[in-house]
Every structure is written in C-alpha cells, then in structure tokens.
Amino acid sequence: MSRVEQSTKLDLERIVFIGRTFREYLDMFSLSVKELQGKKILDCPAGACSFTAIGNKSGLDVTACDIAYYHSSEDLKNKGLRDIEHAMEHMQKAQNNYKWDYFNDIEGLRKHRLSALQDCANDMREFSERYIPVTLPFLPFKNAEFDILLSAHFLFMYADRLDYQFHIETLNELLRVTKEEVRIFPLVDLEGKRYEHLDKLINYLADSGCTVEEVKVPYEFQINANSMLKIKKG
C-alpha cells in the first residue's frame, strides 16, 4: 500500500459516517416541505443524512457537501454500517443521556440510521454531482449561490476540538454562499451543555448585520439539544 493509500485509509477511519433522516431534518430545523419549495438548499456538512436524497425525490433542490465525500460511496456505506453498529453498542451504556420519544428504543434508532445511510449511499451512487467534497472553513461555491443553508451536528457540538476562530470563519463562509438564511442545530456540545461562546457569536453576527434568533424545535434526542440558531442575512 502506498503512502497516499495509507493516508486515505486513515482519513476514512477518522470520519464517523452516520446521518439523520429527511423527517428528522424537518423537525430539527422546524421546516416543512412547502416552505422549502422553490428554494436552492445546501446541507453542510451533510454526512450520511438522507435529506438530499429524499428532498430531491420530493421535488426540492438540495445539494450536500462534506469532507467525507472525497471517498467513494461504497467505502462510505461500509464505513457507515460499521459506525452505526459501534454507535448502537455505545448507546446501550449511554441511554440516560437521550430522550427516546422519537425512536422508542435502540432498535428504532438503528432502523432510522440504517435508512438514512441506505438512502444517502444509493443517491450518491446515482447522482454523485449532488455530493460535493469540501474542507471547512472553505466552500467551493459562489456568493449567495443558495437561498437557505442547513448545518446539523457539527458547529458547537465539537467545541472541544473546534475553536472559536474556526466557528467564526466557518459561519462567515456559510453566510457568504447563502442568500437568505442559515440554520444551525443543535446549540449544545457533546455533553449537552450550551456552546460556551454562543452569546459572543450571536453578538458578532448581529454586529455584522444579521438577525439572529434561538428557536425551540420539535425534536430532542440528545438531552438539551432542542434548539436551533436561525440567522437571517441583513
């Protein structure tokens, strides 16, 4: 195996390829299909979510981007299957950190995650042009190319490894490629604590001319993860 192949394999091992379903997205971001019709939408980072796959089947115009998409759909699907099983084993020990109204139990959660992965992998294979590899905080899109951008389970969640400056640079880039608004979910870190610099970041966005609102949403799986940030461009 060459050094490049070793590096690629290592990079794939570092990626956790697990995603949410289309229905979860609508609930996480408090959206309806009707609201999204006629909009050009970017899911960033999209991971193994089925929002792009099912969204386009439902007549929406959705593009996905993620660092994972530098790898093939087949490799990602296999990685995703392993990651789901690993996550379900972990879930057995951490059940009390989650609310189970949405999935009922671990088996229900597994079915949702497998469904999202299957839909995503199939769509990637058939419509690879919808899945753009990116490395944040930089995006290969034009200014205001999308009407609305949805960003789930990335910013704020990994506050222990992504510093405040990275959050600012990434947010500026998300806003650059978006015409109307950016929505981010959730507002807590992996321990369920509100992102420590959130108020500072909201003030920064307001000073930049944005209207920012914290909105409760009809979705809570991780305890305390039931709000999103709605950022409207000025």
Side-chain angles (χ1 to χ4, degrees), residues 7-15 71 75-76 79:
S7 170
T8 302
K9 188 172 182 202
L10 280 171
D11 287 343
L12 182 58
E13 287 311 307
R14 287 194 192 104
I15 291 164
H71 301 278
D75 285 348
L76 287 172
K79 180 66 166 64

Side-chain angles (χ1 to χ4, degrees), residues 12-19 47-49 68 71-88 109-110 112-118 120-121 124:
L12 182 58
E13 287 311 307
R14 287 194 192 104
I15 291 164
V16 178
F17 200 62
I18 292 180
C49 297
H71 301 278
S72 74
S73 60
E74 195 57 35
D75 285 348
L76 287 172
K77 183 180 177 183
N78 291 333
K79 180 66 166 64
L81 290 170
R82 295 196 301 276
D83 287 344
I84 289 169
E85 288 318 306
H86 178 74
M88 295 311 111
L109 176 64
R110 177 189 274 109
H112 273 74
R113 296 293 171 260
L114 286 170
S115 167
L117 176 64
Q118 190 73 46
C120 175
M124 282 182 81

Side-chain angles (χ1 to χ4, degrees), residues 137 155-156 158-172 195-208:
L155 287 174
F156 313 151
Y158 299 101
D160 60 331
R161 62 201 86 162
L162 303 174
D163 64 18
Y164 179 72
Q165 189 56 36
F166 178 87
H167 280 77
I168 290 292
E169 287 173 12
T170 299
L171 265 170
N172 283 336
Y195 173 53
E196 62 175 330
H197 301 303
L198 193 57
D199 292 328
K200 183 179 171 187
L201 190 141
I202 288 170
N203 288 334
Y204 168 82
L205 290 168
D207 289 344
S208 305

Side-chain angles (χ1 to χ4, degrees), residues 211-227:
T211 305
V212 189
E213 191 184 353
E214 287 185 57
V215 182
K216 277 273 192 292
V217 299
Y219 180 95
E220 183 178 6
F221 178 43
Q222 181 191 6
I223 288 173
N224 296 328
N226 58 358
S227 297

Side-chain angles (χ1 to χ4, degrees), residues 52-195:
T52 298
I54 305 303
N56 281 289
K57 278 183 186 165
S58 307
L60 301 179
D61 181 357
V62 190
T63 299
C65 65
D66 198 287
I67 195 169
Y69 303 153
Y70 286 106
H71 301 278
S72 74
S73 60
E74 195 57 35
D75 285 348
L76 287 172
K77 183 180 177 183
N78 291 333
K79 180 66 166 64
L81 290 170
R82 295 196 301 276
D83 287 344
I84 289 169
E85 288 318 306
H86 178 74
M88 295 311 111
E89 286 167 23
H90 168 76
M91 205 57 76
Q92 295 283 358
K93 303 165 197 160
Q95 287 184 68
N96 293 340
N97 297 332
Y98 298 88
K99 289 183 78 168
W100 291 93
D101 327 9
Y102 205 93
F103 304 106
N104 296 324
D105 54 26
I106 289 175
E107 193 47 44
L109 176 64
R110 177 189 274 109
K111 283 179 183 167
H112 273 74
R113 296 293 171 260
L114 286 170
S115 167
L117 176 64
Q118 190 73 46
D119 287 335
C120 175
N122 289 345
D123 201 56
M124 282 182 81
R125 200 163 48 244
E126 197 174 347
F127 301 102
S128 59
E129 69 280 2
R130 292 175 184 164
Y131 296 85
I132 314 295
V134 302
T135 306
L136 287 167
F138 305 107
L139 293 173
F141 305 115
K142 298 193 290 285
N143 291 353
E145 187 167 336
F146 300 91
D147 296 304
I148 183 167
L149 186 150
L150 306 178
S151 186
H153 297 100
F154 178 60
L155 287 174
F156 313 151
M157 285 225 90
Y158 299 101
D160 60 331
R161 62 201 86 162
L162 303 174
D163 64 18
Y164 179 72
Q165 189 56 36
F166 178 87
H167 280 77
I168 290 292
E169 287 173 12
T170 299
L171 265 170
N172 283 336
E173 188 71 344
L174 300 185
L175 286 162
R176 180 187 68 77
V177 304
T178 310
K179 195 184 300 177
E180 296 172 9
E181 69 176 60
V182 171
R183 297 189 183 197
I184 300 171
F185 175 90
L187 307 184
V188 298
D189 61 20
L190 289 168
E191 294 179 352
K193 295 176 187 159
R194 190 174 190 269
Y195 173 53

